[in-house]
Amino acid sequence: MLRRPATTLHITSEDVAAYEDRRAREALVAAQQARIAAAAEAQARAAASDAAGMDGVQASPDPEVRVRRAREERIGVTRRGR
């Protein structure tokens, strides 16, 4: 039977640099995702607290209606019951 010499692997400085670059990139991506998740959670908490403080209040999508209602409330005009 023929024998071959053992296979040897050599790690070069370029291999080590590439590995370190890849790990640094992965850490950067993980940190960015954590910041995005934290920002989304903070935004959700703020929206929830705003919604809790605004129970029963409906905002009109039309700015003219909001201005008219604000003016009527300011001068004391109220709707009459139907």
Side-chain angles (χ1 to χ4, degrees), residues 49-71:
S49 68
D50 287 347
M54 299 293 287
D55 285 343
V57 176
Q58 295 178 351
S60 173
D62 187 12
E64 292 178 14
V65 172
R66 284 184 291 186
V67 169
R68 182 177 47 80
R69 285 184 186 165
R71 183 183 65 239

Side-chain angles (χ1 to χ4, degrees), residues 6 9 12 15 18 33 41 47 53 59 65 67 73 76:
L9 299 175
T12 64
D15 295 333
Q33 288 175 344
E41 183 178 333
V65 172
V67 169
E73 288 175 5

Side-chain angles (χ1 to χ4, degrees), residues 3-81:
R3 270 203 68 93
R4 290 179 36 186
T7 303
T8 57
L9 299 175
H10 298 282
I11 297 176
T12 64
S13 60
E14 289 85 15
D15 295 333
V16 173
Y19 172 77
E20 289 174 349
D21 288 345
R22 187 173 65 247
R23 295 292 292 192
R25 206 170 29 252
E26 290 170 356
L28 180 63
V29 168
Q32 287 174 341
Q33 288 175 344
R35 279 195 304 268
I36 290 170
E41 183 178 333
Q43 186 177 14
R45 278 190 303 227
S49 68
D50 287 347
M54 299 293 287
D55 285 343
V57 176
Q58 295 178 351
S60 173
D62 187 12
E64 292 178 14
V65 172
R66 284 184 291 186
V67 169
R68 182 177 47 80
R69 285 184 186 165
R71 183 183 65 239
E72 289 174 355
E73 288 175 5
R74 194 172 54 246
I75 63 175
V77 176
T78 60
R79 289 187 182 175
R80 298 181 192 246

